[in-house]
Amino acid sequence: MATESAIKALHGQYEDRTLLVTFQCAEGNATATTVKGPRGDMSGVLYAAPIAKGDLVKLSSAAVYTIAKNDGPAILGMVQSEPIGPVNETKTQAAMVGDGTLRTVVVELFGTMIREVTLDANAGAISIGTFLTSADGQTMTDVGATKERAVALADASAASGDTIPVLFGYYGAL
């Protein structure tokens, strides 16, 4: 059986080529409660769908650069940090999106780079998580359900010609 170092030698130093990005967490509503900790009871919140370090996550349409716990084949990446955030009261997810208080985490993306790209002026409406392609080498357009390796990280109106962030080299749903 090969040792870990021998396996790394065969595959290269793949850990060195990770893409780490901070995302907001779509975890549902927060409910204020008393939390038991190592130093006794303290006030805190419980989330409807909490995200934790090591979870596989997907893009969420709640807001730009927002992730949710994965429940299907569209894995965006893996959470590499514990969530942090300022909420210490009962609050709806919509209110947290509105006032910018969603918790944040660092996610290791299953892709190779993020670049700002311009959408084709004739492109349809783009949703967060839409697969994109380029017909002219300059602008991007929607390709529907086809599994391309470029994924929209923001949404845009139809025929807008907007510039949005796109994850290239996506390999999470192969």
mmCIF file of all heavy atoms in Angstrom, residues 92-148:
data_model
loop_
_atom_site.group_PDB
_atom_site.id
_atom_site.type_symbol
_atom_site.label_atom_id
_atom_site.label_comp_id
_atom_site.label_asym_id
_atom_site.label_seq_id
_atom_site.Cartn_x
_atom_site.Cartn_y
_atom_site.Cartn_z
ATOM 1 N N THR A 92 -35.408 36.706 10.265
ATOM 2 C CA THR A 92 -35.653 35.919 9.060
ATOM 3 C C THR A 92 -34.450 36.005 8.130
ATOM 4 O O THR A 92 -33.679 36.970 8.195
ATOM 5 C CB THR A 92 -36.894 36.423 8.289
ATOM 6 O OG1 THR A 92 -36.630 37.732 7.798
ATOM 7 C CG2 THR A 92 -38.140 36.412 9.170
ATOM 8 N N GLN A 93 -34.323 35.001 7.272
ATOM 9 C CA GLN A 93 -33.227 35.034 6.305
ATOM 10 C C GLN A 93 -33.368 36.256 5.392
ATOM 11 O O GLN A 93 -32.374 36.910 5.075
ATOM 12 C CB GLN A 93 -33.189 33.755 5.478
ATOM 13 C CG GLN A 93 -32.068 33.760 4.449
ATOM 14 C CD GLN A 93 -31.911 32.447 3.750
ATOM 15 O OE1 GLN A 93 -31.519 31.472 4.369
ATOM 16 N NE2 GLN A 93 -32.233 32.407 2.471
ATOM 17 N N ALA A 94 -34.600 36.587 4.993
ATOM 18 C CA ALA A 94 -34.814 37.749 4.121
ATOM 19 C C ALA A 94 -34.324 39.037 4.791
ATOM 20 O O ALA A 94 -33.708 39.889 4.143
ATOM 21 C CB ALA A 94 -36.290 37.874 3.751
ATOM 22 N N ALA A 95 -34.562 39.167 6.093
ATOM 23 C CA ALA A 95 -34.086 40.353 6.819
ATOM 24 C C ALA A 95 -32.560 40.383 6.868
ATOM 25 O O ALA A 95 -31.952 41.443 6.733
ATOM 26 C CB ALA A 95 -34.663 40.377 8.229
ATOM 27 N N MET A 96 -31.932 39.203 7.051
ATOM 28 C CA MET A 96 -30.465 39.148 7.094
ATOM 29 C C MET A 96 -29.864 39.486 5.733
ATOM 30 O O MET A 96 -28.823 40.139 5.659
ATOM 31 C CB MET A 96 -29.992 37.778 7.586
ATOM 32 C CG MET A 96 -30.272 37.539 9.059
ATOM 33 S SD MET A 96 -29.644 35.951 9.665
ATOM 34 C CE MET A 96 -30.942 34.837 9.138
ATOM 35 N N VAL A 97 -30.512 39.055 4.638
ATOM 36 C CA VAL A 97 -30.056 39.434 3.298
ATOM 37 C C VAL A 97 -30.167 40.940 3.139
ATOM 38 O O VAL A 97 -29.237 41.605 2.687
ATOM 39 C CB VAL A 97 -30.861 38.705 2.194
ATOM 40 C CG1 VAL A 97 -30.585 39.319 0.822
ATOM 41 C CG2 VAL A 97 -30.550 37.221 2.185
ATOM 42 N N GLY A 98 -31.305 41.497 3.548
ATOM 43 C CA GLY A 98 -31.563 42.929 3.398
ATOM 44 C C GLY A 98 -30.601 43.814 4.164
ATOM 45 O O GLY A 98 -30.171 44.853 3.667
ATOM 46 N N ASP A 99 -30.243 43.408 5.388
ATOM 47 C CA ASP A 99 -29.355 44.268 6.182
ATOM 48 C C ASP A 99 -27.899 43.795 6.186
ATOM 49 O O ASP A 99 -27.062 44.325 6.916
ATOM 50 C CB ASP A 99 -29.878 44.456 7.606
ATOM 51 C CG ASP A 99 -29.924 43.173 8.426
ATOM 52 O OD1 ASP A 99 -29.292 42.166 8.035
ATOM 53 O OD2 ASP A 99 -30.590 43.180 9.477
ATOM 54 N N GLY A 100 -27.579 42.789 5.357
ATOM 55 C CA GLY A 100 -26.185 42.353 5.204
ATOM 56 C C GLY A 100 -25.607 41.638 6.407
ATOM 57 O O GLY A 100 -24.409 41.746 6.666
ATOM 58 N N THR A 101 -26.435 40.882 7.148
ATOM 59 C CA THR A 101 -25.935 40.203 8.346
ATOM 60 C C THR A 101 -25.897 38.684 8.220
ATOM 61 O O THR A 101 -25.837 37.980 9.235
ATOM 62 C CB THR A 101 -26.772 40.596 9.593
ATOM 63 O OG1 THR A 101 -28.144 40.275 9.348
ATOM 64 C CG2 THR A 101 -26.616 42.068 9.913
ATOM 65 N N LEU A 102 -25.917 38.147 6.992
ATOM 66 C CA LEU A 102 -25.742 36.702 6.832
ATOM 67 C C LEU A 102 -24.357 36.307 7.332
ATOM 68 O O LEU A 102 -23.398 37.069 7.187
ATOM 69 C CB LEU A 102 -25.866 36.302 5.359
ATOM 70 C CG LEU A 102 -27.248 36.414 4.720
ATOM 71 C CD1 LEU A 102 -27.140 36.166 3.222
ATOM 72 C CD2 LEU A 102 -28.228 35.448 5.357
ATOM 73 N N ARG A 103 -24.249 35.113 7.912
ATOM 74 C CA ARG A 103 -22.921 34.647 8.326
ATOM 75 C C ARG A 103 -22.080 34.386 7.078
ATOM 76 O O ARG A 103 -22.606 34.207 5.982
ATOM 77 C CB ARG A 103 -23.032 33.355 9.158
ATOM 78 C CG ARG A 103 -23.760 33.573 10.448
ATOM 79 C CD ARG A 103 -23.560 32.473 11.450
ATOM 80 N NE ARG A 103 -23.949 31.141 10.991
ATOM 81 C CZ ARG A 103 -23.726 30.023 11.701
ATOM 82 N NH1 ARG A 103 -23.132 30.086 12.881
ATOM 83 N NH2 ARG A 103 -24.102 28.849 11.236
ATOM 84 N N THR A 104 -20.756 34.371 7.256
ATOM 85 C CA THR A 104 -19.851 34.116 6.135
ATOM 86 C C THR A 104 -18.939 32.931 6.441
ATOM 87 O O THR A 104 -18.666 32.629 7.604
ATOM 88 C CB THR A 104 -18.977 35.348 5.808
ATOM 89 O OG1 THR A 104 -18.211 35.690 6.949
ATOM 90 C CG2 THR A 104 -19.830 36.525 5.377
ATOM 91 N N VAL A 105 -18.477 32.277 5.371
ATOM 92 C CA VAL A 105 -17.530 31.163 5.462
ATOM 93 C C VAL A 105 -16.560 31.244 4.298
ATOM 94 O O VAL A 105 -16.839 31.885 3.289
ATOM 95 C CB VAL A 105 -18.224 29.776 5.420
ATOM 96 C CG1 VAL A 105 -19.063 29.526 6.650
ATOM 97 C CG2 VAL A 105 -19.046 29.603 4.163
ATOM 98 N N VAL A 106 -15.437 30.555 4.434
ATOM 99 C CA VAL A 106 -14.500 30.395 3.334
ATOM 100 C C VAL A 106 -14.805 29.051 2.684
ATOM 101 O O VAL A 106 -14.909 28.029 3.367
ATOM 102 C CB VAL A 106 -13.035 30.442 3.827
ATOM 103 C CG1 VAL A 106 -12.070 30.136 2.689
ATOM 104 C CG2 VAL A 106 -12.739 31.801 4.441
ATOM 105 N N VAL A 107 -14.962 29.055 1.348
ATOM 106 C CA VAL A 107 -15.296 27.851 0.597
ATOM 107 C C VAL A 107 -14.173 27.528 -0.376
ATOM 108 O O VAL A 107 -13.689 28.413 -1.086
ATOM 109 C CB VAL A 107 -16.623 28.031 -0.182
ATOM 110 C CG1 VAL A 107 -16.935 26.805 -1.026
ATOM 111 C CG2 VAL A 107 -17.769 28.340 0.773
ATOM 112 N N GLU A 108 -13.752 26.267 -0.388
ATOM 113 C CA GLU A 108 -12.833 25.783 -1.414
ATOM 114 C C GLU A 108 -13.689 25.416 -2.621
ATOM 115 O O GLU A 108 -14.493 24.488 -2.557
ATOM 116 C CB GLU A 108 -12.062 24.564 -0.923
ATOM 117 C CG GLU A 108 -11.141 23.988 -1.971
ATOM 118 C CD GLU A 108 -10.434 22.729 -1.508
ATOM 119 O OE1 GLU A 108 -10.535 22.352 -0.331
ATOM 120 O OE2 GLU A 108 -9.777 22.100 -2.363
ATOM 121 N N LEU A 109 -13.555 26.176 -3.701
ATOM 122 C CA LEU A 109 -14.391 25.969 -4.879
ATOM 123 C C LEU A 109 -13.897 24.824 -5.740
ATOM 124 O O LEU A 109 -12.692 24.618 -5.890
ATOM 125 C CB LEU A 109 -14.445 27.240 -5.723
ATOM 126 C CG LEU A 109 -15.082 28.453 -5.066
ATOM 127 C CD1 LEU A 109 -15.097 29.627 -6.024
ATOM 128 C CD2 LEU A 109 -16.474 28.152 -4.568
ATOM 129 N N PHE A 110 -14.838 24.100 -6.344
ATOM 130 C CA PHE A 110 -14.513 23.046 -7.286
ATOM 131 C C PHE A 110 -14.488 23.667 -8.685
ATOM 132 O O PHE A 110 -15.348 23.451 -9.518
ATOM 133 C CB PHE A 110 -15.509 21.900 -7.184
ATOM 134 C CG PHE A 110 -15.492 21.203 -5.850
ATOM 135 C CD1 PHE A 110 -16.570 20.478 -5.413
ATOM 136 C CD2 PHE A 110 -14.382 21.273 -5.020
ATOM 137 C CE1 PHE A 110 -16.557 19.829 -4.194
ATOM 138 C CE2 PHE A 110 -14.350 20.629 -3.786
ATOM 139 C CZ PHE A 110 -15.452 19.907 -3.379
ATOM 140 N N GLY A 111 -13.486 24.508 -8.897
ATOM 141 C CA GLY A 111 -13.253 25.232 -10.141
ATOM 142 C C GLY A 111 -11.869 25.845 -10.060
ATOM 143 O O GLY A 111 -11.201 25.736 -9.032
ATOM 144 N N THR A 112 -11.443 26.511 -11.121
ATOM 145 C CA THR A 112 -10.056 26.977 -11.140
ATOM 146 C C THR A 112 -9.862 28.483 -11.028
ATOM 147 O O THR A 112 -8.830 28.927 -10.550
ATOM 148 C CB THR A 112 -9.346 26.486 -12.416
ATOM 149 O OG1 THR A 112 -10.068 26.937 -13.548
ATOM 150 C CG2 THR A 112 -9.239 24.982 -12.440
ATOM 151 N N MET A 113 -10.821 29.305 -11.473
ATOM 152 C CA MET A 113 -10.644 30.753 -11.344
ATOM 153 C C MET A 113 -11.979 31.460 -11.496
ATOM 154 O O MET A 113 -12.916 30.937 -12.082
ATOM 155 C CB MET A 113 -9.662 31.281 -12.373
ATOM 156 C CG MET A 113 -10.178 31.295 -13.783
ATOM 157 S SD MET A 113 -9.016 32.094 -14.877
ATOM 158 C CE MET A 113 -9.049 30.971 -16.236
ATOM 159 N N ILE A 114 -12.041 32.679 -10.952
ATOM 160 C CA ILE A 114 -13.211 33.546 -11.115
ATOM 161 C C ILE A 114 -12.773 34.787 -11.872
ATOM 162 O O ILE A 114 -11.761 35.393 -11.537
ATOM 163 C CB ILE A 114 -13.797 33.941 -9.751
ATOM 164 C CG1 ILE A 114 -14.322 32.707 -9.022
ATOM 165 C CG2 ILE A 114 -14.912 34.980 -9.931
ATOM 166 C CD1 ILE A 114 -14.790 32.987 -7.607
ATOM 167 N N ARG A 115 -13.538 35.142 -12.892
ATOM 168 C CA ARG A 115 -13.261 36.339 -13.673
ATOM 169 C C ARG A 115 -14.561 37.085 -13.919
ATOM 170 O O ARG A 115 -15.627 36.480 -14.029
ATOM 171 C CB ARG A 115 -12.633 35.998 -15.042
ATOM 172 C CG ARG A 115 -11.258 35.392 -14.962
ATOM 173 C CD ARG A 115 -10.238 36.426 -14.505
ATOM 174 N NE ARG A 115 -8.904 35.908 -14.520
ATOM 175 C CZ ARG A 115 -8.262 35.419 -13.465
ATOM 176 N NH1 ARG A 115 -8.849 35.354 -12.300
ATOM 177 N NH2 ARG A 115 -7.024 34.971 -13.566
ATOM 178 N N GLU A 116 -14.469 38.405 -14.020
ATOM 179 C CA GLU A 116 -15.612 39.234 -14.404
ATOM 180 C C GLU A 116 -15.717 39.169 -15.920
ATOM 181 O O GLU A 116 -14.731 39.412 -16.624
ATOM 182 C CB GLU A 116 -15.391 40.681 -13.959
ATOM 183 C CG GLU A 116 -15.323 40.865 -12.459
ATOM 184 C CD GLU A 116 -16.692 40.976 -11.813
ATOM 185 O OE1 GLU A 116 -17.639 41.422 -12.486
ATOM 186 O OE2 GLU A 116 -16.805 40.613 -10.638
ATOM 187 N N VAL A 117 -16.899 38.819 -16.434
ATOM 188 C CA VAL A 117 -17.097 38.733 -17.880
ATOM 189 C C VAL A 117 -18.345 39.506 -18.284
ATOM 190 O O VAL A 117 -19.266 39.697 -17.484
ATOM 191 C CB VAL A 117 -17.210 37.270 -18.380
ATOM 192 C CG1 VAL A 117 -15.953 36.498 -18.096
ATOM 193 C CG2 VAL A 117 -18.411 36.583 -17.779
ATOM 194 N N THR A 118 -18.376 39.938 -19.528
ATOM 195 C CA THR A 118 -19.516 40.663 -20.075
ATOM 196 C C THR A 118 -20.465 39.674 -20.743
ATOM 197 O O THR A 118 -20.029 38.792 -21.482
ATOM 198 C CB THR A 118 -19.037 41.714 -21.098
ATOM 199 O OG1 THR A 118 -18.122 42.588 -20.431
ATOM 200 C CG2 THR A 118 -20.203 42.512 -21.656
ATOM 201 N N LEU A 119 -21.742 39.849 -20.474
ATOM 202 C CA LEU A 119 -22.760 38.999 -21.090
ATOM 203 C C LEU A 119 -23.101 39.534 -22.482
ATOM 204 O O LEU A 119 -23.072 40.741 -22.725
ATOM 205 C CB LEU A 119 -24.020 38.979 -20.227
ATOM 206 C CG LEU A 119 -23.843 38.383 -18.843
ATOM 207 C CD1 LEU A 119 -25.109 38.564 -18.018
ATOM 208 C CD2 LEU A 119 -23.470 36.909 -18.936
ATOM 209 N N ASP A 120 -23.440 38.617 -23.375
ATOM 210 C CA ASP A 120 -23.860 38.972 -24.720
ATOM 211 C C ASP A 120 -25.119 39.837 -24.630
ATOM 212 O O ASP A 120 -26.002 39.581 -23.815
ATOM 213 C CB ASP A 120 -24.155 37.698 -25.524
ATOM 214 C CG ASP A 120 -24.481 37.991 -26.962
ATOM 215 O OD1 ASP A 120 -23.544 38.079 -27.761
ATOM 216 O OD2 ASP A 120 -25.680 38.141 -27.263
ATOM 217 N N ALA A 121 -25.210 40.864 -25.458
ATOM 218 C CA ALA A 121 -26.363 41.778 -25.433
ATOM 219 C C ALA A 121 -27.668 41.067 -25.786
ATOM 220 O O ALA A 121 -28.746 41.558 -25.466
ATOM 221 C CB ALA A 121 -26.123 42.937 -26.387
ATOM 222 N N ASN A 122 -27.585 39.907 -26.429
ATOM 223 C CA ASN A 122 -28.786 39.152 -26.792
ATOM 224 C C ASN A 122 -29.051 37.980 -25.852
ATOM 225 O O ASN A 122 -29.987 37.213 -26.090
ATOM 226 C CB ASN A 122 -28.665 38.627 -28.222
ATOM 227 C CG ASN A 122 -28.566 39.763 -29.221
ATOM 228 O OD1 ASN A 122 -29.279 40.742 -29.114
ATOM 229 N ND2 ASN A 122 -27.642 39.642 -30.160
ATOM 230 N N ALA A 123 -28.260 37.835 -24.808
ATOM 231 C CA ALA A 123 -28.432 36.714 -23.874
ATOM 232 C C ALA A 123 -29.745 36.846 -23.120
ATOM 233 O O ALA A 123 -30.219 37.953 -22.843
ATOM 234 C CB ALA A 123 -27.270 36.667 -22.884
ATOM 235 N N GLY A 124 -30.329 35.706 -22.787
ATOM 236 C CA GLY A 124 -31.538 35.714 -21.966
ATOM 237 C C GLY A 124 -31.186 36.079 -20.536
ATOM 238 O O GLY A 124 -30.032 36.370 -20.208
ATOM 239 N N ALA A 125 -32.181 36.072 -19.666
ATOM 240 C CA ALA A 125 -31.956 36.353 -18.249
ATOM 241 C C ALA A 125 -31.015 35.289 -17.680
ATOM 242 O O ALA A 125 -31.147 34.103 -17.980
ATOM 243 C CB ALA A 125 -33.273 36.363 -17.491
ATOM 244 N N ILE A 126 -30.058 35.713 -16.891
ATOM 245 C CA ILE A 126 -29.080 34.802 -16.278
ATOM 246 C C ILE A 126 -29.387 34.716 -14.788
ATOM 247 O O ILE A 126 -29.516 35.732 -14.113
ATOM 248 C CB ILE A 126 -27.635 35.330 -16.481
ATOM 249 C CG1 ILE A 126 -27.321 35.531 -17.964
ATOM 250 C CG2 ILE A 126 -26.627 34.415 -15.805
ATOM 251 C CD1 ILE A 126 -27.314 34.282 -18.789
ATOM 252 N N SER A 127 -29.486 33.494 -14.290
ATOM 253 C CA SER A 127 -29.695 33.263 -12.860
ATOM 254 C C SER A 127 -28.379 32.818 -12.237
ATOM 255 O O SER A 127 -27.498 32.296 -12.925
ATOM 256 C CB SER A 127 -30.729 32.160 -12.644
ATOM 257 O OG SER A 127 -31.965 32.540 -13.175
ATOM 258 N N ILE A 128 -28.253 32.994 -10.935
ATOM 259 C CA ILE A 128 -27.089 32.481 -10.222
ATOM 260 C C ILE A 128 -27.039 30.968 -10.431
ATOM 261 O O ILE A 128 -28.045 30.281 -10.267
ATOM 262 C CB ILE A 128 -27.180 32.813 -8.717
ATOM 263 C CG1 ILE A 128 -27.088 34.329 -8.510
ATOM 264 C CG2 ILE A 128 -26.100 32.088 -7.929
ATOM 265 C CD1 ILE A 128 -27.385 34.793 -7.100
ATOM 266 N N GLY A 129 -25.882 30.454 -10.842
ATOM 267 C CA GLY A 129 -25.720 29.023 -11.086
ATOM 268 C C GLY A 129 -25.961 28.590 -12.517
ATOM 269 O O GLY A 129 -25.791 27.419 -12.847
ATOM 270 N N THR A 130 -26.321 29.522 -13.404
ATOM 271 C CA THR A 130 -26.544 29.195 -14.816
ATOM 272 C C THR A 130 -25.218 28.842 -15.475
ATOM 273 O O THR A 130 -24.210 29.506 -15.255
ATOM 274 C CB THR A 130 -27.173 30.395 -15.562
ATOM 275 O OG1 THR A 130 -28.434 30.682 -14.981
ATOM 276 C CG2 THR A 130 -27.349 30.109 -17.045
ATOM 277 N N PHE A 131 -25.221 27.801 -16.301
ATOM 278 C CA PHE A 131 -24.036 27.449 -17.072
ATOM 279 C C PHE A 131 -23.937 28.391 -18.266
ATOM 280 O O PHE A 131 -24.935 28.686 -18.922
ATOM 281 C CB PHE A 131 -24.102 25.993 -17.543
ATOM 282 C CG PHE A 131 -23.962 25.016 -16.417
ATOM 283 C CD1 PHE A 131 -25.080 24.414 -15.868
ATOM 284 C CD2 PHE A 131 -22.719 24.710 -15.896
ATOM 285 C CE1 PHE A 131 -24.954 23.524 -14.820
ATOM 286 C CE2 PHE A 131 -22.584 23.822 -14.843
ATOM 287 C CZ PHE A 131 -23.707 23.225 -14.302
ATOM 288 N N LEU A 132 -22.724 28.875 -18.545
ATOM 289 C CA LEU A 132 -22.497 29.854 -19.613
ATOM 290 C C LEU A 132 -21.494 29.324 -20.625
ATOM 291 O O LEU A 132 -20.675 28.459 -20.316
ATOM 292 C CB LEU A 132 -21.960 31.164 -19.017
ATOM 293 C CG LEU A 132 -22.825 31.848 -17.966
ATOM 294 C CD1 LEU A 132 -22.081 33.027 -17.359
ATOM 295 C CD2 LEU A 132 -24.144 32.277 -18.542
ATOM 296 N N THR A 133 -21.550 29.889 -21.823
ATOM 297 C CA THR A 133 -20.575 29.583 -22.863
ATOM 298 C C THR A 133 -20.323 30.857 -23.665
ATOM 299 O O THR A 133 -21.023 31.844 -23.499
ATOM 300 C CB THR A 133 -21.066 28.440 -23.786
ATOM 301 O OG1 THR A 133 -19.979 28.016 -24.596
ATOM 302 C CG2 THR A 133 -22.234 28.872 -24.657
ATOM 303 N N SER A 134 -19.328 30.816 -24.535
ATOM 304 C CA SER A 134 -19.017 31.958 -25.388
ATOM 305 C C SER A 134 -19.024 31.514 -26.841
ATOM 306 O O SER A 134 -18.345 30.563 -27.202
ATOM 307 C CB SER A 134 -17.644 32.532 -25.043
ATOM 308 O OG SER A 134 -17.336 33.598 -25.903
ATOM 309 N N ALA A 135 -19.820 32.216 -27.650
ATOM 310 C CA ALA A 135 -19.868 31.900 -29.078
ATOM 311 C C ALA A 135 -18.863 32.722 -29.865
ATOM 312 O O ALA A 135 -18.367 32.287 -30.893
ATOM 313 C CB ALA A 135 -21.277 32.146 -29.618
ATOM 314 N N ASP A 136 -18.543 33.923 -29.369
ATOM 315 C CA ASP A 136 -17.670 34.818 -30.121
ATOM 316 C C ASP A 136 -16.302 35.021 -29.473
ATOM 317 O O ASP A 136 -15.486 35.784 -29.966
ATOM 318 C CB ASP A 136 -18.352 36.171 -30.337
ATOM 319 C CG ASP A 136 -18.653 36.904 -29.035
ATOM 320 O OD1 ASP A 136 -18.209 36.444 -27.959
ATOM 321 O OD2 ASP A 136 -19.336 37.937 -29.100
ATOM 322 N N GLY A 137 -16.048 34.383 -28.346
ATOM 323 C CA GLY A 137 -14.765 34.529 -27.667
ATOM 324 C C GLY A 137 -14.640 35.809 -26.860
ATOM 325 O O GLY A 137 -13.617 36.038 -26.230
ATOM 326 N N GLN A 138 -15.654 36.635 -26.876
ATOM 327 C CA GLN A 138 -15.617 37.906 -26.154
ATOM 328 C C GLN A 138 -16.679 37.993 -25.065
ATOM 329 O O GLN A 138 -16.418 38.480 -23.978
ATOM 330 C CB GLN A 138 -15.820 39.079 -27.132
ATOM 331 C CG GLN A 138 -14.747 39.179 -28.185
ATOM 332 C CD GLN A 138 -13.386 39.483 -27.598
ATOM 333 O OE1 GLN A 138 -13.257 40.343 -26.748
ATOM 334 N NE2 GLN A 138 -12.369 38.770 -28.036
ATOM 335 N N THR A 139 -17.902 37.566 -25.381
ATOM 336 C CA THR A 139 -19.006 37.678 -24.439
ATOM 337 C C THR A 139 -19.544 36.296 -24.082
ATOM 338 O O THR A 139 -19.303 35.327 -24.791
ATOM 339 C CB THR A 139 -20.149 38.539 -25.021
ATOM 340 O OG1 THR A 139 -20.608 37.921 -26.229
ATOM 341 C CG2 THR A 139 -19.676 39.953 -25.299
ATOM 342 N N MET A 140 -20.281 36.211 -22.973
ATOM 343 C CA MET A 140 -20.840 34.931 -22.511
ATOM 344 C C MET A 140 -22.352 34.941 -22.712
ATOM 345 O O MET A 140 -22.990 35.991 -22.674
ATOM 346 C CB MET A 140 -20.547 34.723 -21.022
ATOM 347 C CG MET A 140 -19.082 34.740 -20.657
ATOM 348 S SD MET A 140 -18.125 33.350 -21.277
ATOM 349 C CE MET A 140 -18.682 32.035 -20.240
ATOM 350 N N THR A 141 -22.927 33.740 -22.884
ATOM 351 C CA THR A 141 -24.370 33.599 -23.023
ATOM 352 C C THR A 141 -24.826 32.327 -22.324
ATOM 353 O O THR A 141 -24.039 31.420 -22.074
ATOM 354 C CB THR A 141 -24.797 33.616 -24.505
ATOM 355 O OG1 THR A 141 -26.215 33.706 -24.575
ATOM 356 C CG2 THR A 141 -24.306 32.393 -25.248
ATOM 357 N N ASP A 142 -26.110 32.245 -22.026
ATOM 358 C CA ASP A 142 -26.729 31.126 -21.321
ATOM 359 C C ASP A 142 -26.750 29.888 -22.214
ATOM 360 O O ASP A 142 -27.069 29.976 -23.388
ATOM 361 C CB ASP A 142 -28.161 31.552 -20.953
ATOM 362 C CG ASP A 142 -28.972 30.452 -20.300
ATOM 363 O OD1 ASP A 142 -28.411 29.400 -19.968
ATOM 364 O OD2 ASP A 142 -30.179 30.668 -20.111
ATOM 365 N N VAL A 143 -26.427 28.723 -21.626
ATOM 366 C CA VAL A 143 -26.535 27.472 -22.375
ATOM 367 C C VAL A 143 -27.515 26.512 -21.715
ATOM 368 O O VAL A 143 -27.541 25.334 -22.020
ATOM 369 C CB VAL A 143 -25.166 26.777 -22.559
ATOM 370 C CG1 VAL A 143 -24.294 27.569 -23.488
ATOM 371 C CG2 VAL A 143 -24.496 26.507 -21.244
ATOM 372 N N GLY A 144 -28.331 26.998 -20.794
ATOM 373 C CA GLY A 144 -29.367 26.181 -20.179
ATOM 374 C C GLY A 144 -28.813 25.061 -19.327
ATOM 375 O O GLY A 144 -27.917 25.259 -18.527
ATOM 376 N N ALA A 145 -29.334 23.862 -19.522
ATOM 377 C CA ALA A 145 -28.992 22.722 -18.664
ATOM 378 C C ALA A 145 -27.703 22.020 -19.092
ATOM 379 O O ALA A 145 -27.246 21.129 -18.410
ATOM 380 C CB ALA A 145 -30.142 21.722 -18.667
ATOM 381 N N THR A 146 -27.116 22.396 -20.219
ATOM 382 C CA THR A 146 -25.876 21.776 -20.671
ATOM 383 C C THR A 146 -24.783 22.002 -19.631
ATOM 384 O O THR A 146 -24.639 23.090 -19.106
ATOM 385 C CB THR A 146 -25.422 22.379 -22.014
ATOM 386 O OG1 THR A 146 -26.483 22.240 -22.947
ATOM 387 C CG2 THR A 146 -24.185 21.695 -22.538
ATOM 388 N N LYS A 147 -24.032 20.990 -19.321
ATOM 389 C CA LYS A 147 -22.989 21.097 -18.298
ATOM 390 C C LYS A 147 -21.716 21.673 -18.892
ATOM 391 O O LYS A 147 -20.857 20.966 -19.398
ATOM 392 C CB LYS A 147 -22.695 19.727 -17.674
ATOM 393 C CG LYS A 147 -23.893 19.100 -17.012
ATOM 394 C CD LYS A 147 -24.323 19.887 -15.807
ATOM 395 C CE LYS A 147 -25.413 19.168 -15.063
ATOM 396 N NZ LYS A 147 -26.330 20.000 -14.396
ATOM 397 N N GLU A 148 -21.615 22.977 -18.888
ATOM 398 C CA GLU A 148 -20.395 23.660 -19.299
ATOM 399 C C GLU A 148 -19.501 23.818 -18.084
ATOM 400 O O GLU A 148 -19.900 23.525 -16.965
ATOM 401 C CB GLU A 148 -20.732 25.034 -19.900
ATOM 402 C CG GLU A 148 -21.491 24.960 -21.199
ATOM 403 C CD GLU A 148 -20.673 24.387 -22.339
ATOM 404 O OE1 GLU A 148 -19.450 24.617 -22.389
ATOM 405 O OE2 GLU A 148 -21.258 23.704 -23.180
#
